[in-house]
Amino acid sequence: QVQLVESGGGFVQPGGSLRLSCAASGSIFSIPRMSWYRQAPGKERELVAAISAGGSANYTDSVKGRFTISRDNAKNTMYLQMNGLKPEDTAVYYCNADVYLGSYYYAVPLSAWGQGTLVTVSS
């Protein structure tokens, strides 16, 4: 199987910045898509940003211009640079990856999730 390990969450004041990381490990053949989700208390989990293996990125409207998603394919690692943080950004952030395990000759598709990391934005 694949394991996703997240880091970078914490407490920041409004207007501050954080950088989240998600490292994938396992018998990975490819990761066509990686994404960040978040879930605030009492709210539905929402897609924040997604990025393809080629670097094409998409963002939910509420974070456009403030967040930047990126990935290092050599390290199987994804990042989320969060600037200009607002209290409404407070949530548990989850890493998600669409992964092919195995090899070119036998690849198994799998959707993997990280454990989540808490981001708190408050004065």
Side-chain angles (χ1 to χ4, degrees):
Q1 295 188 357
V2 63
Q3 183 178 11
L4 303 180
V5 179
E6 302 175 359
S7 61
F11 181 92
V12 294
Q13 295 183 351
S17 298
L18 284 174
R19 192 190 194 208
L20 306 183
S21 299
C22 173
S25 61
S27 184
I28 299 171
F29 176 68
S30 66
I31 310 178
R33 171 184 161 104
M34 302 185 79
S35 57
W36 289 99
Y37 287 76
R38 67 184 181 187
Q39 187 167 25
K43 301 294 193 299
E44 295 182 355
R45 185 175 298 189
E46 67 169 339
L47 177 65
V48 178
I51 186 168
S52 71
S56 179
N58 291 291
Y59 303 88
T60 191
D61 287 343
S62 63
V63 307
K64 288 181 179 177
R66 300 188 297 121
F67 291 9
T68 302
I69 189 172
S70 62
R71 60 189 286 175
D72 184 338
N73 292 338
K75 297 180 179 180
N76 283 331
T77 300
M78 174 180 64
Y79 307 94
L80 185 68
Q81 179 66 47
M82 304 185 294
N83 299 325
L85 284 163
K86 304 175 180 180
E88 51 262 45
D89 295 319
T90 296
V92 177
Y93 284 71
Y94 297 92
C95 174
N96 175 258
D98 294 330
V99 180
Y100 284 98
L101 300 178
S103 69
Y104 174 84
Y105 303 99
Y106 185 69
V108 179
L110 178 69
S111 180
W113 290 90
Q115 79 286 355
T117 184
L118 177 63
V119 172
T120 302
V121 185
S122 177
S123 59

